Amino acid sequence: MRFERKLWKKIAAMLLAIVLTVTLALPGTIGQASAATTEPGIMLDGRKLDNAQAITIGGTTMVPIRVVSEQLGHSVNWNQATGRIQIGTAPASLTLTLGSRTAASYSGSITMQQAPFVRSNTTYVPLRFVGSQMGLAVRWEQSSGTVYLQTQLEAPSLPTTPPTDTSTPPADSNTASINSISFSDNRLTISADSSVKPQGSVLAGPDRIVVDLPGSSFGPGLLQNQTASTGQVVTLPVTGSSAVKQVRYSLFSQSPSTVRVVIDLNRSTGHKLYTQGNLVLVDLNDDGAAAPIGTGGKKVVVIDPGHGDQDPGGIGVTGKKEKDMVLSVSLKVASLLKQEPNIDLIMTRTDDTFIPLDGRVKIAQDAKADVFLSIHGNAASSNAGGTETFYADTKRSKALSDTIQKHVLAATGFRDRGSKQANYLVIRKTTMPAALLEIGFLTNANEEKLMMQDAFQQKVAKAIVAGIKEYLANS
């Protein structure tokens, strides 16, 4: 039974996005189709699907299976002799039969409200079946005659009716807060404020790695401006990886509260899932054979793009936001650092999310970082300008700050505001060498213009990497 449940989970997960856009050229029609009374439109994640309509038969809304099949490239096979449609490959497949209300899966039979039928070379199945078995939230708006489909992160692990209450659950004092999810150096990093026990699995068709974090929920910053309801999916773009297409995450379950993170792959690859402190890491380097971060003589560098999400940081002369500029520079730094064979890179954020200051410190502490660098842009009067770098502890961090200031100043050509001591939390509470860089002033028209240019950002990124490498070589 346990084996069957696992296979059903695989089936259901496979069918998550099987629900969007493959036309099945199936011959023949069934008389029931003539009983249709309305032809409502279909919306998927707020987008109207072209040439896709639902029909209502005897009170049951039927939707074309092509609307729910091709998005992730799953196989759909039609056996004309038996009238059967197989979605996916055995044993993790689902089989529908024209004219029959029973669908077959490895875990048993599933009864539908209406039998599948063909109309105008399109196969239709019940809307409720789509919702409960294929991992979509379903809503029917009678006034406009519209079917609304909302993708969830993955299909339920067992065939259950989607919950009607999707409000954000109250916080549990025993629930770990997930404060950061980032992907850099071919490695997924999840930061929690307390210990979590990740559960990983690998799914095919399409290839993806699923990490469940039972007893966890989103921290106050990660989804500050988004609904944290069950099934609400946030996508984290990934660039520069041959293996990874994107990362998605969601509050997958309310009882127990569980965050799910999915790595969508371009191809099958090995991985290593492990924890370090309260960090959860999924390392895809060397097909999953890479040693844990900070081992084998490698140095761990944490790059912290300041601000994010609801915290824009400084606002420039033309309205440019500090959070966007520093993220762009930091991603360029990350691209360069991941080419360094003796450096393991961790990013506190790789998209427009907000991480509390203590959360940034905790990432560096859990990673046992050798260097922590927070990247910022300044704001003051229009006459203010220049590059400056800060450290909190003279003995621990002044050498790092001085080295970063030297290299970045040469790259910007701005006024030298020096390497100086300050009491910023992220460099005060970290226990490794730590510095906070202010590249230039967004409120200075000339400096803002330069800092928003791609070539200038790349020049600064190279200088930052050169500074980090020089410091590590001399420390």
Side-chain angles (χ1 to χ4, degrees):
M1 179 60 69
R2 184 176 180 183
F3 177 65
E4 292 179 354
R5 286 167 64 92
K6 286 183 177 179
L7 277 175
W8 170 252
K9 183 175 182 179
K10 183 176 180 181
I11 294 167
M14 177 192 71
L15 293 172
L16 156 65
I18 286 187
V19 189
L20 296 177
T21 56
V22 153
T23 300
L24 294 178
L26 302 178
T29 60
I30 292 181
Q32 286 178 311
S34 62
T37 57
T38 61
E39 293 193 351
I42 300 176
M43 301 285 291
L44 174 74
D45 292 337
R47 175 177 60 87
K48 182 173 174 52
L49 300 179
D50 295 333
N51 302 317
Q53 291 182 318
I55 59 179
T56 303
I57 296 175
T60 299
T61 301
M62 310 287 287
V63 294
I65 194 137
R66 71 179 178 82
V67 178
V68 279
S69 70
E70 184 180 63
Q71 192 79 351
L72 296 180
H74 297 292
S75 62
V76 179
N77 296 311
W78 159 243
N79 187 317
Q80 184 174 3
T82 61
R84 291 179 179 173
I85 308 147
Q86 179 177 299
I87 303 171
T89 57
S93 62
L94 185 73
T95 302
L96 311 178
T97 304
L98 295 180
S100 172
R101 293 176 56 203
T102 300
S105 74
Y106 186 89
S107 61
S109 61
I110 304 165
T111 301
M112 296 177 284
Q113 296 89 342
Q114 292 281 354
F117 63 85
V118 175
R119 181 185 185 188
S120 301
N121 292 329
T122 299
T123 302
Y124 288 82
V125 296
L127 173 63
R128 187 174 299 175
F129 174 82
V130 169
S132 62
Q133 306 303 325
M134 296 186 178
L136 294 180
V138 173
R139 181 167 65 88
W140 158 249
E141 188 177 86
Q142 186 173 4
S143 59
S144 62
T146 302
V147 172
Y148 290 89
L149 302 175
Q150 173 69 46
T151 57
Q152 299 179 35
L153 192 57
E154 293 288 339
S157 56
L158 288 174
T160 58
T161 302
T164 57
D165 179 12
T166 59
S167 59
T168 303
D172 186 334
S173 60
N174 296 320
T175 298
S177 290
I178 304 301
N179 292 324
S180 170
I181 299 174
S182 64
F183 188 90
S184 59
D185 201 13
N186 216 28
R187 185 186 300 109
L188 176 73
T189 304
I190 303 168
S191 176
D193 68 351
S194 58
S195 178
V196 290
K197 295 182 179 179
Q199 299 174 356
S201 58
V202 177
L203 301 174
D207 295 315
R208 58 205 186 279
I209 299 167
V210 179
V211 180
D212 284 336
L213 305 168
S216 70
S217 61
F218 291 118
L222 195 59
L223 291 182
Q224 183 73 25
N225 293 330
Q226 304 189 53
T227 303
S229 302
T230 303
Q232 178 71 28
V233 182
V234 179
T235 300
L236 176 65
V238 172
T239 58
S241 173
S242 62
V244 177
K245 182 186 304 180
Q246 64 181 10
V247 174
R248 297 172 287 140
Y249 55 90
S250 170
L251 182 64
F252 178 67
S253 168
Q254 293 184 7
S255 182
S257 184
T258 301
V259 169
R260 169 168 285 186
V261 184
V262 176
I263 305 174
D264 290 318
L265 301 173
N266 293 315
R267 55 177 172 79
S268 177
T269 183
H271 73 283
K272 179 183 295 181
L273 170 63
Y274 65 99
T275 60
Q276 183 165 311
N278 294 330
L279 293 180
V280 176
L281 298 114
V282 183
D283 199 331
L284 284 70
N285 286 290
D286 299 331
D287 207 25
I293 59 169
T295 59
K298 289 189 175 184
K299 300 294 185 179
V300 177
V301 173
V302 173
I303 299 296
D304 173 42
H307 309 283
D309 196 21
Q310 81 279 3
D311 175 14
I315 304 298
V317 176
T318 64
K320 299 296 191 294
K321 298 175 182 178
E322 179 186 354
K323 67 170 185 176
D324 299 325
M325 184 273 290
V326 298
L327 178 61
S328 182
V329 171
S330 297
L331 291 174
K332 290 176 172 63
V333 171
S335 181
L336 294 170
L337 282 177
K338 71 181 183 181
Q339 298 174 30
E340 297 296 327
N342 296 318
I343 291 177
D344 280 329
L345 168 69
I346 297 289
M347 298 281 287
T348 59
R349 69 180 181 100
T350 51
D351 66 343
D352 187 23
T353 53
F354 175 77
I355 305 162
L357 297 180
D358 281 319
R360 298 168 195 254
V361 171
K362 193 165 191 338
I363 291 171
Q365 297 295 105
D366 286 340
K368 299 179 180 178
D370 295 285
V371 167
F372 174 89
L373 179 63
S374 191
I375 300 177
H376 292 257
N378 240 325
S381 69
S382 60
N383 294 324
T387 298
E388 57 190 346
T389 309
F390 297 93
Y391 59 91
D393 182 271
T394 301
K395 182 178 180 180
R396 171 168 52 91
S397 300
K398 185 179 185 301
L400 171 64
S401 178
D402 290 350
T403 307
I404 295 296
Q405 175 70 10
K406 177 184 69 174
H407 283 272
V408 176
L409 180 66
T412 64
F414 298 162
R415 171 189 165 196
D416 184 1
R417 296 177 64 94
S419 171
K420 59 190 80 171
Q421 195 168 24
N423 200 34
Y424 295 120
L425 185 146
V426 293
I427 55 175
R428 172 170 51 87
K429 285 193 171 183
T430 43
T431 58
M432 73 290 301
L436 188 149
L437 168 67
E438 298 277 8
I439 299 170
F441 281 75
L442 288 161
T443 47
N444 180 303
N446 179 60
E447 292 186 4
E448 182 207 42
K449 181 179 179 181
L450 286 170
M451 285 190 290
M452 301 310 298
Q453 294 176 3
D454 187 75
F456 182 86
Q457 291 180 2
Q458 187 67 31
K459 186 178 180 182
V460 170
K462 289 180 179 179
I464 291 172
V465 171
I468 291 172
K469 290 174 63 178
E470 179 180 324
Y471 171 77
L472 289 173
N474 294 331
S475 61

